[in-house]
Amino acid sequence: AVDLNFDADEAARKHAAQLRPHYDEPLYRIVATVFKGVTGKRLVEGSNFRGYHGSQGIKASLKASEGTLYPLEKGFLFAPKPTLYIPHSEIASIVFSRVEASSSNKMRTFDLKFNMHGAQDYQFVSINREEHASLEDYMTEHAIKMLSELNETAAVSYKGMDMDSDEEGGRATARAITQGAAALGINSGDEDSEEDEDFVAGSESDVMEEFDEDYVSPDDGDDE
């Protein structure tokens, strides 16, 4: 609990209308509320986002700087350094990178790229793959466009990629690659199928001549 002494503090008396004499809240909220009352600035609070372990932020790196990325109600906040606020309104789209690889090869991290409207793009790396599902739900809830890594003009959903078995992860990876190739106009598999259709298996006599030591060809009989 924190008590403000309005009688002894002239600054507190000046902002008495915006402050309370007694606060019984977590310290971080008391500090934020007091700053809001003194500066008159709007207080930006966290959203209902919860990461895999229940936290309001996720560990990530921006270039060489490690920090925490906080998905807020109207934007993203990266802290502590460099402190960066990215409003939703300035985000054109986002791209999850290396999601397929993290699912099939059991890589522990993936990357998150922000494509901005007429501004510098941002890429956050080394995000724990366990945070992917929560982030995708957040993007969907706030109508933030998600694009495919293979084709950054095609919308995509990566839900279902985080599977336990390697076999299921391999199938999910194959589907994602096929979808990306189709979006790029790449026709995969047709040439192989055509080559298979042109193949004609040899007759049983060909096998007999090749492997049977007692086989006598018609030409050998004529020589006798």
Side-chain angles (χ1 to χ4, degrees):
V2 174
D3 293 316
L4 297 183
N5 190 342
F6 289 106
D7 295 331
D9 194 325
E10 182 178 351
R13 290 197 300 271
K14 181 179 178 181
H15 299 282
Q18 292 80 31
L19 301 176
R20 303 197 306 266
H22 178 76
Y23 291 89
D24 188 7
E25 305 173 61
L27 183 59
Y28 76 90
R29 184 170 290 277
I30 295 174
V31 172
T33 304
V34 170
F35 268 97
K36 178 183 179 181
V38 172
T39 63
K41 300 294 185 180
R42 184 173 61 90
L43 184 64
V44 178
E45 299 188 41
S47 66
N48 57 357
F49 173 85
R50 292 295 181 272
Y52 182 80
H53 298 287
S55 61
Q56 291 184 298
I58 57 174
K59 295 295 182 182
S61 295
L62 179 62
K63 296 182 179 180
S65 302
E66 296 183 356
T68 303
L69 182 65
Y70 296 93
L72 307 178
E73 192 60 37
K74 295 185 178 182
F76 291 85
L77 175 66
F78 181 76
K81 188 178 181 180
T83 302
L84 177 66
Y85 179 68
I86 306 175
H88 288 169
S89 59
E90 296 182 8
I91 301 173
S93 60
I94 64 97
V95 180
F96 289 108
S97 301
R98 301 189 300 115
V99 175
E100 296 93 338
S102 65
S103 297
S104 60
N105 299 331
K106 301 304 180 185
M107 293 178 64
R108 302 307 304 169
T109 62
F110 65 93
D111 303 335
L112 178 61
K113 179 183 178 183
F114 288 80
N115 296 322
M116 309 299 293
H117 287 296
Q120 175 187 354
D121 295 340
Y122 300 100
Q123 181 155 341
F124 297 92
V125 301
S126 301
I127 302 174
N128 193 315
R129 68 187 293 263
E130 295 172 337
E131 307 289 359
H132 171 259
S134 299
L135 276 173
E136 184 170 353
D137 288 341
Y138 172 88
M139 303 298 180
T140 302
E141 178 184 350
H142 291 82
I144 299 175
K145 188 176 183 180
M146 294 178 284
L147 301 182
S148 166
E149 180 181 10
L150 293 177
N151 179 15
E152 293 195 12
T153 62
V156 67
S157 172
Y158 289 99
K159 281 190 175 180
M161 292 296 295
D162 296 331
M163 301 178 180
D164 294 333
S165 70
D166 291 337
E167 181 179 354
E168 291 176 336
R171 289 200 299 267
T173 302
R175 287 195 298 270
I177 293 174
T178 300
Q179 292 171 0
L184 290 170
I186 300 174
N187 192 3
S188 61
D190 291 345
E191 295 181 0
D192 293 339
S193 62
E194 290 177 359
E195 291 177 0
D196 292 342
E197 292 175 359
D198 293 338
F199 174 75
V200 178
S203 63
E204 292 183 1
S205 62
D206 295 335
V207 178
M208 178 74 74
E209 182 177 359
E210 182 71 22
F211 298 103
D212 192 347
E213 295 178 356
D214 298 330
Y215 176 78
V216 178
S217 70
D219 294 340
D220 294 339
D222 293 342
D223 293 343
E224 293 179 358

